[in-house]
Structures are given as C-alpha cells and as structure tokens.
Amino acid sequence: MWASVAKRLLRSKVQFSVAYTSLIVQRNKCFPCSSLLYLSRWQHSAPVFEQTCSPEAMIRNVETLDAERFVCVHWEDGGHSLYPYVWLRDNCQCPQCFLHSAKARKLPIENLDVDTGLRNVDLTDANKVSITWPDDHKSEFEAKWLKKRCFSEESRAEMQEELFLQERFYWGSDLKIPTMSYEDVLRCDKAAFKWLSTLREVGIVLLEGAPIKQGELIRLGRRIGYMRHTFYGYTWQVQDKTDANNVAYTSGKLSLHTDYPALQYPPGVQFLHCLKQAESGGESEVVDGFHVCNQLRKEDQKAFDILTSKQIDFTDTGVDYCDFSLQSKQRIVELHPNGDLLRINFNNATRDSVLNLPVEEVQPFYDSLKKFVNLMNHPKNTYYYKMKPGQVVTFDNWRILHGRKSYESGANISRHLEGSYLDWDVVMSRLRALKNKLQNSS
Amino acid sequence: MWASVAKRLLRSKVQFSVAYTSLIVQRNKCFPCSSLLYLSRWQHSAPVFEQTCSPEAMIRNVETLDAERFVCVHWEDGGHSLYPYVWLRDNCQCPQCFLHSAKARKLPIENLDVDTGLRNVDLTDANKVSITWPDDHKSEFEAKWLKKRCFSEESRAEMQEELFLQERFYWGSDLKIPTMSYEDVLRCDKAAFKWLSTLREVGIVLLEGAPIKQGELIRLGRRIGYMRHTFYGYTWQVQDKTDANNVAYTSGKLSLHTDYPALQYPPGVQFLHCLKQAESGGESEVVDGFHVCNQLRKEDQKAFDILTSKQIDFTDTGVDYCDFSLQSKQRIVELHPNGDLLRINFNNATRDSVLNLPVEEVQPFYDSLKKFVNLMNHPKNTYYYKMKPGQVVTFDNWRILHGRKSYESGANISRHLEGSYLDWDVVMSRLRALKNKLQNSS
C-alpha cells in the first residue's frame, strides 16, 4: 500500500520526503544481510521483482490487419496488442536473423523489406505466434516476449521503468542518510542490490566499516564493474596540497557543486572514502539537486528555462594523471527529451570566464544562477554530516550537489578523503545483473 | 587562399571533397617529420596557430554605461567591446577570487552580488582595465584577456572555433585516406598535432609502420592521455570466436555501423590495429556519416527529423571484461543544440527489439532508417580499403560509419585486429596541449 501511494506521489512529481525519511530510519539488524535497512519498505513493495508481463501471458488468437500491416494478438485476459509487420520481420529470432550467443541482430537493414507483407500467421500449440513471410522465411515469437514488447503506452512505460529505474525519492534537510555495511555490499548480492537501487532512487548511500586504507575504493569499484578513469586518475586524494591543481585540494570551503562538468560527459556516480577527518571543520554538505530544480521550476519558470537552455562553458587545465586542457559546453540543468531532469552541471570553480552568450543575455543568466544557488543553499534543502574514517559516501553526481566546510590544516595532513567515479551505465548494468540473479534464485 | 575558400565553403555547409581529396595526395617526404602529408595545406593556411586576438590588442579608453551596467572598452583599432559589470566581478582574477594554481574560480555565487554597481573604472599605463567595486574590492583585467572574451557574435564564434575545432571536411568515395607514420606521431609533436587535427577534420587517419604485436595500442593511447575502458576491456580482439559475444567476433560481413551506442555516451574515437589479415575478404569500409546526414536532410527532411528526434533503445548483454547488461536510449542522429551534427548512433546488431514508440510511429521510423542506410551504402559515399598488418586506422566513431566484408575463416585465426577507444574530451585535450606547445615553441 505504502509503495503504491509513494509511486503515485512520485509520478505526479510531489515530494513525500517526510513519509520517506520517517520510513528509512527503521532498521532491522537481524536480517541475514545486516545492512538491509529498508526491510519494511521492501517487504511492502518489492516492485522490482515483479515481471512486467506475467509468465502466464496466454494468447487467445491472432489475426492480421492487412491495411495497417499489423498483427493483432488477442490475449486470454481480454486485452490485445498490435505489432507492425516490419517490426516483427526486423526482430525475427531465428539463428539466421539473430546471433543468440551475442543476443544481437544479424539481419541488416539492407536485407529488411520495410514494406513487407505477410503470407500467414498462426498460433502454435506452444503459445507462440508463427509467421510465414512472402519469401517463405519463417519467424516464431514467444507470447511472453511479445507481451513485454507491446506498443501500448502503459506497457511501454512499464518496460522503460524496468530497464531504466527512473523513479526518484526526493528529499530535503530532513534526510536520514541511508546507511549500510561496506562489507555486506561487497559480499551479499541482496545488500548490493539494495545499495545500488537506493543510490538510484535516493541518490546517496553511506557505507560504514570500510578498511581505513588508500586503494580500498578499487574493491568497491570492482564489485560493480570498473571505475571511470579521468585526468585525476582512477582514484584521487582530496587533501590540502601545495600548488593545488583543483580547489578541492585546499582546506577551504567548497560550495555546493557537481563534479567535473568540464568533461562533456561528467561521471554519474561518485565515491568518497574517509581516511582521516579534521578535528575542526570539514563537515560535508549535500543537497538533492533534482528536488531543488523542481522548486525552481515552480517558483521561477523563466530562471529554470534559462538554466535548462543556455549552454555554458566549463574549463579545467593542469597536470595530474597527465597534462590536461579540457573545455565543455553544458546546460546548468540538462533535461531528458521528455522534459524530465537528467543532470545538473554546476561547478562554479570550473565555470569558464569564456561565456558564449549575447551580451544582453548575460545578466539574466547570472540572475537565474543566483536564484538556483540561493535555493540550493536554503536551510530546508541542505543536509550536513561529518564523515568518519572508514565511511564511504556513494552518491549520484548527476543529481546531488555536494560541498564541505573549511577545516584547519597544519604542517601534517589533517583530512584525507580518497575519491573515485563510475558511469551510470556501469552501475545500472550491475543493478540489472543483480536483479536478474536475485529473481532467478528466488 | 585555399584555406579561406575552404573555410567559407564549410561554413555554408557545402561539400568540397574534390578540392580536399585532390590536395591531400600531395606528399612531401623530405620534411623533418616524414609523415606531414598535408604540408601544402598547412603552409597556405596555418589558421590553427593564429591568435584569436592579436597580442597587440591596445585599449584607447574605457567608459561605463551605467544604465545597462556595462563597461565599454574602446580599442585602438576603432572597435569596441561591452562587458557586463556582473561578468567582470564574477571573473575577477585577484588571488582572493581566483586560484591561479588550479586556474579556477574561488569566488562563489553566494558571495557574488549579481546587481553590483561599479565605483570606478580606469585604464592603467600597462594597458589594463582597473575596476574599483562599491565595497572597495579591486579587479584588473588585461586587454588581451578581455579581447578574447568580447561578447560580439563574431568574437564568440572565433573563440568557440578555437576551443572546439568544429570545422569538418566532408568526403565521399573519392577519399584519399590521410596516411601518416605511426612512429612519427609517437615521437614528433608536430606530427601528432597533424594526426589529431586531421582526425578531427576528416574523421579518419591511417597510421603505417606500427609494430605487429598485441598491446601496441596502449602506447598510442598513452601518447594522447588515457584510453576508454569498456565492458570489452581496454583493448579488444576482433577475431572469429566460438560463441561470439559480439557480431564483430565472427567472420561475417559487418554492415556499416558506429560502435557502442548501447553505452549512453559512446566512445568518440576508435583505433583498430591490424595484426593479421585474411587472404580472402575482410576489406574495411568507411563512410562519412555526417556527409550522408547532410544528404538525407536535403533529400528527405521528414526522415531526417524522425532520426534526429525519436529515441531508440539499444542493448548489449553478455560477459567479457565482466558480465554486462547495458541499455541506452539514443537518437540515430544526435544534433547539437544549435542544429549542427553531433553524433551518429547506429549499430543494427544492438538496436533493441524493445522500441518505445507509439505503434503508428513504427513504420515511419523504419522508412526513415532504411533511407539513411540506403544512402550510406550508396557507391558515391562508400570507401573501401584492406588493412595490412602494421597499419592502425584511427577514426571518429561519432561521425564515421565503418563495416567490413566477410572473410574466410578456418581452424586457425585468419584475421586479427586489436581495437581500443578514447573519448573526444581526451583527444581534444591533447590537441589543445599540442597546439599550445607548438605555438610557444614557434
């Protein structure tokens, strides 16, 4: 019940952080994986293990609509689905048309008759749709396979959600930061799945109990797949450095930002592993940037439109893994083609002095950016925490803005975080693989 | 002269492949770097070494336009430039506002008064603009720095071209493939610069004389910076394999495609190093995809609009570096926000059977794709070559479609290419660094 209410609320883009944050503090340390902090939620909802189409998808009969060149499949449950001839021919699953070892299409567009007719369609005893094409080529499609690919709006939306897990739980300063055991996510698939799905939905998960040694993040990256190499290396050391090549490598305050918009495709996920913490200062700050964007859209549509349309230059020049001279063009807020929020690109340190806007658009851009920054710094949106050695914060770098308070630094290193990046493609790949593995073993 | 004509032609999006291909066959093996095949072109044009603004940018006087809150800089050459107060304050270069070791802004938006006034502006004896702000903070800007950042349309266009090198030389079947020495690009900065700038402009460069051993591409990647890791590893072996996890790992024909649209951000540049070539078959095929897109736009605007707007699902599932389960959504032709061509995403093997379009849009999508594929396969557009062991083809994977003819395979490996990827960000970074190095040494 709770989950379905939550889903409806999310779909209508309404925040329900109170319900969420009151839920996420429920812990159940007795569960086989000690880190399953979300037990009550998963018990109620468990939506990720549902099949988009039930395995029992049974076909009543099939017919052709020759004028439209559609095959119409009538299901036993009373519904029906339409499949264009050309799509069926394109997706023939026979070994001549499809390489099963690679799960990839062999039939090239060159050999596809996009105006194909259809000689015959039958329903087989094994609940399959069997088609004979005008050139005598035969195709067979399983009912379940077809049902998952139904072209109705509802079915497509379900499939897209299954593939991309776009649902988000927005939060403000009342966040109770999701916390799990580092060792559990390394060892237990169920814990790893919950870690990554929470990272997707909430945008941030704190892992506790990691060994306090440099290089440990490599293990965590391997748990998922591989890390994203950048000009700062595979992992990088956030410390106060002489002649810092990055503002993060000082002891100064870092305003809320996303990492690396100077890369045209900024890293999707960031890990920060605390190895040493300053006695005074150095508190971390995070904000749900998507939640802030929705507030901005509501309060000042014009500012939102400017930040989602004008391309702003970013730059990063220096030497680290090797010498680098990066330039990128980013909208401060990047939208999906459907208007959904895709990514925040905002690091004031690397925002270039080169600004490719007509001079009359400069002031409106600054006005919009100021409004966005004021909103992200509003006490209702900011969440502070101070990392302890052995903690690893993992967060969505496309959504979460992060910063830190300044700290006291002396002759010795007083604070040391090790960081690394991953692409969302790699994290989502592991999430799908874990989901399949858990589904198959349940 | 030739270069300026070419630039004008390019800006008006007119092809001049005949002029280009007739030029690129001129070789000059006597030049210090034996691989500088483009000598005559560079001698005439050398545009990349020009300063966008001359070092002699001299200011005649400065004034304020208080109503608009602009500083107006009058140049000795008679022109003038407008700079908004807020942009000047934001880009103050003093050590309090700017971290020079990182070339990054320290002043956060929180501390920027976007409605700032200006107490005083002066021209210093050293040809700098000196500003005193209402709170007594002082900023100084060098004339050259300001001129490069002039907000006029022309100046901004020049700066963007300097930063991103967007000019392209389109070609068809009459391509004379640009060819350079592998060892030269490794050893000589001038050769490396010509390699990468040609890769940017023409989209393909063939390197000759590479050692015939696996792993050699790592040296070439290091010459630039670092390679792009993917689920197929850092480098990957294109051979006929049992239970191939990719259609490329067979001996079959590969239709024209770009690599890896199943990654949401496909690799920008691809290297293929020939280690062994089949006696019969295995010829490579390339097409200038951007040139084909421009033809499609001209011949069938509706098809072009569909391919540049509809998001198509791609998928790649299997095991290689580790297990993977990728899903992405791509427009077959992705445009820049300004309408320019950005990237082609087309690999028919990994185009998903999941197709998130309303059923009535399915046929128009296939019709459009078929037109695009027919056009790319037109003899006027296709260029064939057969790689020899020791050759490395380097090409723009966002622009060039590549394929191969089938080849005979037996009990032993009859053909072996090793491949790897890089991101354009990394290649462009090296290109800018080489340009600066060559400029400073000239």
Side-chain angles (χ1 to χ4, degrees), chain A residues 173-224:
Chain A
S173 59
D174 54 350
L175 171 74
K176 302 290 182 298
I177 196 164
T179 306
M180 298 181 74
S181 150
Y182 178 82
E183 289 299 334
D184 275 358
V185 305
L186 283 185
R187 288 177 193 157
C188 168
D189 283 344
K190 227 169 186 168
F193 177 78
K194 289 195 191 315
W195 167 40
L196 298 181
S197 53
T198 307
L199 180 62
R200 185 76 175 162
E201 290 167 344
V202 183
I204 185 164
V205 178
L206 189 68
L207 304 178
E208 291 186 319
I212 303 169
K213 65 171 201 284
Q214 197 172 317
E216 188 60 31
L217 287 186
I218 294 166
R219 273 177 78 204
L220 199 59
R222 283 199 188 127
R223 175 63 167 126
I224 296 178

Side-chain angles (χ1 to χ4, degrees), chain A residues 225-349:
Chain A
Y226 55 88
M227 295 192 296
R228 170 93 176 258
H229 196 284
T230 72
F231 283 111
Y232 293 98
Y234 261 115
T235 69
W236 24 272
Q237 313 309 317
V238 186
Q239 296 168 325
D240 189 16
K241 298 177 188 178
T242 313
D243 292 329
N245 64 1
N246 192 295
V247 292
Y249 298 166
T250 66
S251 62
K253 171 184 163 71
L254 287 183
S255 295
L256 289 164
H257 65 283
T258 60
D259 267 24
Y260 238 151
L263 286 171
Q264 197 56 57
Y265 194 71
V269 171
Q270 182 167 172
F271 294 165
L272 285 171
H273 180 197
C274 182
L275 298 170
K276 191 171 185 184
Q277 182 57 283
E279 283 189 24
S280 174
E283 290 86 354
S284 300
E285 179 185 12
V286 282
V287 160
D288 183 345
F290 284 6
H291 187 38
V292 173
C293 285
N294 286 333
Q295 293 167 37
L296 182 69
R297 175 153 36 188
K298 208 171 158 187
E299 290 179 19
D300 193 333
Q301 180 73 44
K302 193 181 147 202
F304 183 81
D305 290 344
I306 287 173
L307 297 184
T308 55
S309 63
K310 303 299 174 191
Q311 287 214 304
I312 305 304
D313 290 84
F314 287 86
T315 184
D316 198 18
T317 303
V319 182
D320 201 301
Y321 173 81
C322 65
D323 59 317
F324 54 89
S325 178
L326 283 173
Q327 292 289 149
S328 73
K329 299 187 73 63
Q330 307 276 8
R331 298 173 180 107
I332 300 292
V333 180
E334 183 77 25
L335 300 180
H336 273 287
N338 69 0
D340 284 353
L341 296 160
L342 175 63
R343 184 173 74 231
I344 295 168
N345 306 293
F346 179 59
N347 188 329
N348 208 51

Side-chain angles (χ1 to χ4, degrees), chain B residues 83-102:
Chain B
Y83 302 98
Y85 290 1
V86 61
W87 176 84
L88 289 163
R89 183 63 194 90
D90 180 45
N91 289 296
C92 175
Q93 300 288 297
C94 85
Q96 194 182 329
C97 296
F98 195 78
L99 181 63
H100 283 270
S101 64

Side-chain angles (χ1 to χ4, degrees), chain B residues 130-345:
Chain B
S130 169
I131 295 174
T132 306
W133 301 101
D135 62 356
D136 276 341
H137 190 85
K138 287 187 182 3
S139 305
E140 269 197 355
F141 301 96
E142 289 187 2
K144 183 179 162 186
W145 186 95
L146 283 171
K147 187 135 202 184
K148 281 173 83 92
R149 287 158 180 81
C150 168
F151 284 91
S152 75
E153 192 172 346
E154 192 186 356
S155 295
R156 288 186 290 115
E158 270 180 36
M159 175 57 99
Q160 292 294 309
E161 180 54 32
E162 184 181 320
L163 295 177
F164 296 104
L165 307 174
Q166 293 293 1
E167 288 201 330
R168 297 287 182 276
F169 299 93
Y170 300 134
W171 47 265
S173 59
D174 54 351
L175 171 74
K176 303 289 182 297
I177 196 164
T179 306
M180 298 180 73
S181 150
Y182 177 82
E183 290 298 333
D184 275 358
V185 304
L186 283 184
R187 288 179 194 158
C188 167
D189 283 344
K190 225 167 188 169
F193 177 79
K194 289 197 190 312
W195 168 40
L196 298 182
S197 53
T198 307
L199 180 62
R200 184 76 175 163
E201 290 167 344
V202 183
I204 186 165
V205 177
L206 189 67
L207 304 179
E208 290 185 320
I212 303 169
K213 66 171 200 285
Q214 197 172 317
E216 188 60 31
L217 287 186
I218 293 168
R219 272 177 78 202
L220 199 58
R222 284 200 188 126
R223 175 63 167 127
I224 296 178
Y226 55 88
M227 294 194 297
R228 169 94 177 257
H229 195 283
T230 72
F231 283 111
Y232 293 98
Y234 260 114
T235 69
W236 24 271
Q237 313 309 317
V238 186
Q239 296 169 325
D240 189 16
K241 299 177 187 176
T242 313
D243 292 329
N245 65 1
N246 191 295
V247 292
Y249 299 165
T250 66
S251 63
K253 171 185 163 72
L254 286 184
S255 295
L256 288 164
H257 65 283
T258 60
D259 267 24
Y260 237 150
L263 286 172
Q264 197 56 58
Y265 194 72
V269 170
Q270 182 167 172
F271 296 164
L272 285 171
H273 181 197
C274 182
L275 298 170
K276 191 171 186 184
Q277 183 56 284
E279 284 189 21
S280 175
E283 290 85 355
S284 300
E285 180 185 11
V286 282
V287 160
D288 183 346
F290 283 7
H291 188 39
V292 173
C293 285
N294 285 334
Q295 294 166 37
L296 182 69
R297 175 153 37 186
K298 206 169 159 187
E299 291 180 18
D300 192 334
Q301 180 74 44
K302 192 180 146 201
F304 183 81
D305 290 345
I306 287 173
L307 297 184
T308 54
S309 63
K310 303 298 175 192
Q311 287 213 305
I312 304 304
D313 291 85
F314 287 85
T315 183
D316 198 18
T317 304
V319 181
D320 201 301
Y321 173 80
C322 65
D323 57 318
F324 55 89
S325 178
L326 282 173
Q327 292 290 149
S328 73
K329 299 188 73 63
Q330 306 275 10
R331 298 174 179 107
I332 300 293
V333 180
E334 182 77 26
L335 300 180
H336 274 287
N338 68 0
D340 284 353
L341 295 160
L342 174 64
R343 184 173 75 230
I344 295 168
N345 305 293

Side-chain angles (χ1 to χ4, degrees), chain A residues 90 101 112 234 244 325 348 366, chain B residues 90 101 105 234 244 366 370:
Chain A
D90 180 45
S101 64
L112 175 70
Y234 261 115
S325 178
N348 208 51
Y366 278 100
Chain B
D90 180 45
S101 64
R105 186 181 292 99
Y234 260 114
Y366 279 100
K370 182 84 176 181

